[in-house]
Amino acid sequence: MAQDGTGERDAAGTAGSADGMPHADSVAPDEGALADPVITPDPLGSADPTASADPTGSADPLVAEELSLDPRAIARASLAAGRNSSLWWVTVGVGVAIAVAVLVSTAAGALTLAGLLAVGAVVRAATPPPGPAALVARGRPLDVLILFSFAFALAILSQVIPAH
């Protein structure tokens, strides 16, 4: 046991530094303090990644694995997208909105696009999982909320903003 400059020891028999403060390694952690959470792998395959079979957290921390980016898998996925009808329906809808904007007026084209967004929100809300690929970005409630919000905002702006 080392002594500090004063020659005094604390209750545990360890000496502090010359300034009277205990060494950092000699200070016991506060027993009421929360330890950092340790995520351990669940052998039962629980959906909760924070759940652990060992409540003491003594197992090795879970290391996230990165998915490999296989160029062939990416190419197959992009080819399969061409066979997805929802992408074609959205493309046709945007084309119709552009045609209406050019042939009739920009306000009418914007209203057509707002209608397309509202129809997309209804379709996203009504179809069973996984849903149309062109309309699925996040969870169903968030997708529907965003599509309806954009439809409402576009419809309002198309009527408020002057055409000239």
Side-chain angles (χ1 to χ4, degrees), residues 13-110:
T14 59
S17 64
D19 61 357
M21 299 299 293
H23 292 290
D25 58 353
S26 67
V27 176
D30 183 18
E31 298 199 12
L34 296 176
D36 290 335
V38 176
I39 299 174
T40 58
D42 185 11
L44 301 176
S46 170
D48 183 10
T50 61
S52 172
D54 183 9
T56 63
S58 62
D60 293 335
L62 178 66
V63 178
E65 295 181 20
E66 292 185 22
L67 297 176
S68 64
L69 296 176
D70 181 19
R72 292 174 295 201
I74 295 170
R76 282 192 296 272
S78 65
L79 289 173
R83 293 188 295 267
N84 191 316
S85 64
S86 68
L87 296 171
W88 290 109
W89 282 108
V90 169
T91 303
V92 168
V94 170
V96 167
I98 291 171
V100 169
V102 169
L103 298 174
V104 179
S105 71
T106 55

Side-chain angles (χ1 to χ4, degrees), residues 107 109-115 117 148-159:
L111 280 176
T112 305
L113 191 55
L117 287 167
F148 271 133
S149 298
F150 285 168
F152 179 74
L154 191 58
I156 297 298
L157 289 174
S158 71
Q159 300 304 305

Side-chain angles (χ1 to χ4, degrees), residues 97-150:
I98 291 171
V100 169
V102 169
L103 298 174
V104 179
S105 71
T106 55
L111 280 176
T112 305
L113 191 55
L116 176 67
L117 287 167
V119 167
V122 170
V123 168
R124 175 68 174 116
T127 55
L135 303 175
V136 175
R138 299 286 178 189
R140 182 188 310 255
L142 184 60
D143 286 343
V144 171
L145 176 72
I146 289 173
L147 287 168
F148 271 133
S149 298
F150 285 168

